[in-house]
Amino acid sequence: MQLAVAEAKRAGDRGDYPIGAVITRLTGKREVVVASAGNRVKTSGSSIKHVELETLKYVSSGYGRYLPDFVLYSTHEPCAMCAGACVWSRIGAVVYGVSQEDIAAYGQKCGTEDYKWRACLISCRLVLEKGNHPIPVIGGFLRKSCQGLFSYRPA
């Protein structure tokens, strides 16, 4: 998750939302990083360039359609779209820092035209449960570090 936070800061440095994701592969008792990236929604001009979706596409292109031995780490809870992609890819597990509720609360209090921090208040757990493929989810992992990204501004 610390690598995801670093990727989020790099995204913020280039003018994007500071959100980061990492995908690891479990091999035996080891976890190996296979992809990491920061969000590109603002800089790409595409509302669907969420970092979770982009890293899943990248890993799938090299490792195949299904990813049961992989774990997605994201600084922010995956939205319904990204959680759906986790279902379709059969990712092994999802770990995130801040929840959709955290994002919505911050957006209501501190959102600006530049940083709206919108949230889709459909939990990724609900999407994953309804996806007919059990995927373990751990939320609130390094939550304080991930909350710090809300107010992160490029240097």
Side-chain angles (χ1 to χ4, degrees), residues 24-141:
T24 62
R25 185 175 195 185
L26 300 171
T27 55
K29 294 185 182 205
R30 293 185 46 218
E31 213 173 345
V32 179
V33 173
V34 294
S36 64
N39 207 38
R40 293 196 180 274
V41 168
K42 287 180 72 178
T43 53
S44 73
S46 172
S47 60
I48 61 170
K49 286 276 191 182
H50 291 198
V51 68
E52 299 91 346
L53 193 59
E54 293 299 302
T55 52
L56 283 167
K57 284 183 352 187
Y58 174 79
V59 172
S60 290
S61 71
Y63 291 93
R65 183 174 172 188
Y66 299 128
L67 306 170
D69 300 331
F70 295 78
V71 177
L72 169 68
Y73 291 86
S74 181
T75 57
H76 292 56
E77 179 179 5
C79 70
M81 173 180 67
C82 295
C86 289
V87 169
W88 295 121
S89 69
R90 297 186 184 177
I91 193 86
V94 173
V95 179
Y96 67 85
V98 294
S99 69
Q100 289 291 330
E101 286 78 14
D102 290 332
I103 299 163
Y106 182 83
Q108 287 178 341
K109 191 168 94 178
C110 302
T112 66
E113 193 55 36
D114 240 7
Y115 284 86
K116 292 183 175 145
W117 290 103
R118 287 187 212 99
C120 177
L121 294 175
I122 301 170
S123 77
C124 75
R125 287 179 200 275
L126 176 63
V127 174
L128 299 176
E129 286 169 12
K130 298 291 185 178
N132 202 23
H133 173 68
I135 299 172
V137 178
I138 297 171
F141 190 74

